[in-house]
Amino acid sequence: MHTQWIHIDEKEIGNDASKEAIRRAGAVIRSGGLVAFPTETVYGLGGDALNAESSRRIYAAKGRPSDNPLIVHIADFSDLSEIVEQIPENAKILAAKFWPGPLTMILKKSDAVPSATTGGLSTVAVRFPNHPLALSFIREAGGYIAAPSANASGRPSPTEGRHVYEDLEGRIDMILDGGSVGIGLESTIVDLTADIPMILRPGYVTEEMLSGVLGEVHSDRTMFDVSDGVKPKAPGMKYKHYAPRGELSVVSGDSEKVIQYINDKIAAKKKEGCRVGVIGTSETIDRYLACVKKDIGSRSNEAEIAHNLYEILREFDDENVEYMYTEAFDTGGIGQAVMNRLLKAAGHRVINV
Ligand code: TXA
Ligand code: MG
């Protein structure tokens, strides 16, 4: 299959060429094909959410296990009622506050949504993204786009059109490339089918932001701790996602001790002839002795750290790094989402110094 790779600059959205590209992308979806598109979080791999065959194609293109449900993306709040059994009061409150935006809600699904889209579950994940290209595309395609992140299964989520091309070229019909995404980590997922809303995946919309409008909110404890072998509630969170090819360890503790520990490890591994990489911050990166060093951004700018993480994990793969060490990050705000993704990438290998 030939994959059309179409670039649409932010400034070009709304001009005739971009309208024509989006019209063609919509036609691809309506005929059962697959189109990758940017959102404010990461790139999505879109298919018609109401067409079981399209969802099967998404799983095949990504190499994704078919019990891992897809998120349905909408572009108008009034479209929600078609795909859910009913809209609970707390969903209306969250939508008013956070949609369009990086928040996914789990609700009871209606019969309009095929079980191929929801991995056999009776619930559906719904998101109303905040990205002009995504919204025009979703509307043009009929209003309901099933989209997982547009990476090959097991790779970090794509934050640039070229990441999608690297992973899925020849496996999908089209890439709408809108350049670099804003946030860089996937949406927060909150399950509203439980008595008390439960966060299944942390993201830009934090627990504090949610409890600020809903009152009590719980978090799935497997997001940070898998030691007791409990199963995560979002099926996708059980897979070793975002995993770089080499072995990543998170080193946590006093900054000076962390630097010392990592430099000792680097020296030992280098002696063994291994390629070693390190993720540090703008404040610390010059202190490391690794051959491959990645500055993830300033500790004072968590948004920058979130935005750079996946790109860095991809670079490590490209540079054939065998062992990687990263500093730990605060678990408040978006830092919580950064740590959740890092822990998964590291297979929960954490060293406390
Ligand atoms: O930011 C995002 O959410 C991106 C962009 C493209 O919108 N999408 C994304 O999709 O991250 P994906 O498929 O990579 O992750 C979806 C997660 C998986 O962990 C999946 O198991 C969970 O959502 N999920 C989907 N439907 C669910 C359901 N009904 N109940 C529980 N978890 C669900
Ligand atoms: Mg994903």
Side-chain angles (χ1 to χ4, degrees), residues 7-309:
H7 298 262
I8 302 176
D9 208 70
E10 209 179 322
K11 296 191 293 290
E12 294 164 353
I13 297 177
N15 74 11
D16 286 349
S18 81
K19 278 190 193 151
E20 172 56 18
I22 290 167
R23 198 193 55 71
R24 274 174 29 222
V28 168
I29 296 292
R30 279 183 270 105
S31 63
L34 304 183
V35 177
F37 63 100
T39 78
E40 78 278 40
T41 57
V42 299
Y43 274 76
L45 172 56
D48 179 354
L50 308 188
N51 176 346
E53 191 46 39
S54 295
S55 292
R56 282 186 208 109
R57 283 193 187 156
I58 291 176
Y59 289 110
K62 278 187 62 122
R64 174 172 173 129
S66 61
D67 68 345
N68 188 359
L70 308 174
I71 295 176
V72 179
H73 296 66
I74 58 174
D76 284 292
F77 183 72
S78 58
D79 288 342
L80 179 61
S81 56
E82 171 75 13
I83 54 171
V84 301
E85 218 172 59
Q86 50 128 342
I87 306 176
E89 204 48 42
N90 51 14
K92 289 181 194 157
I93 294 170
L94 289 183
K97 179 90 181 161
F98 298 110
W99 276 3
L103 178 70
T104 296
M105 300 187 215
I106 309 283
L107 297 163
K108 292 222 170 72
K109 83 173 190 72
S110 75
D111 292 340
V113 187
S115 68
T117 301
T118 62
L121 297 178
S122 59
T123 54
V124 60
V126 191
R127 176 157 124 73
F128 183 167
N130 187 13
H131 190 291
L133 200 50
L135 295 174
S136 309
F137 161 63
I138 295 166
R139 290 188 188 118
E140 192 64 41
Y144 302 98
I145 293 289
S149 47
N151 51 291
S153 199
R155 295 268 284 157
S157 294
T159 54
E160 304 267 355
R162 67 185 155 78
H163 298 158
V164 181
Y165 191 80
E166 278 164 25
D167 281 15
L168 299 176
E169 191 259 327
R171 307 174 71 90
I172 63 176
D173 298 282
M174 194 185 277
I175 299 168
L176 289 176
D177 188 334
S180 186
V181 299
I183 295 174
L185 293 180
E186 305 86 343
S187 61
T188 306
I189 301 180
V190 61
D191 184 355
L192 296 180
T193 65
D195 291 339
I196 295 165
M198 182 176 287
I199 299 172
L200 307 187
R201 181 173 73 183
Y204 183 83
V205 177
T206 60
E207 184 172 336
E208 299 76 65
M209 287 156 81
L210 292 173
S211 58
V213 286
L214 290 184
E216 195 179 3
V217 173
H218 290 174
S219 279
D220 183 357
R221 64 201 167 93
T222 65
M223 293 190 315
F224 300 101
D225 179 12
V226 288
S227 52
D228 51 5
V230 226
K231 253 209 202 148
K233 295 195 168 49
M237 299 297 277
K238 73 172 177 274
Y239 296 106
K240 192 183 163 205
H241 266 194
Y242 327 117
R245 297 198 182 103
E247 186 184 290
L248 173 70
S249 302
V250 180
V251 185
S252 175
D254 170 75
S255 177
E256 286 303 317
K257 285 190 184 153
V258 168
I259 294 168
Q260 184 64 50
Y261 178 91
I262 292 179
N263 277 338
D264 287 349
K265 284 286 173 193
I266 291 168
K269 295 278 184 210
K270 267 191 189 164
K271 251 189 226 146
E272 294 167 25
C274 305
R275 269 180 79 72
V276 194
V278 65
I279 301 178
T281 53
S282 311
E283 291 81 9
T284 59
I285 197 70
D286 290 340
R287 312 235 350 243
Y288 291 106
L289 310 170
C291 35
V292 184
K293 296 200 269 189
K294 305 288 178 190
D295 177 356
I296 197 169
S298 169
R299 243 178 217 281
S300 61
N301 187 347
E302 285 192 329
E304 185 186 12
I305 291 173
H307 186 265
N308 290 337
L309 176 63

Side-chain angles (χ1 to χ4, degrees), residues 338-352:
V338 173
M339 267 310 270
N340 167 261
R341 306 311 194 271
L342 263 181
L343 288 170
K344 280 165 68 66
H348 288 266
R349 209 174 356 258
V350 182
I351 297 149
N352 291 300

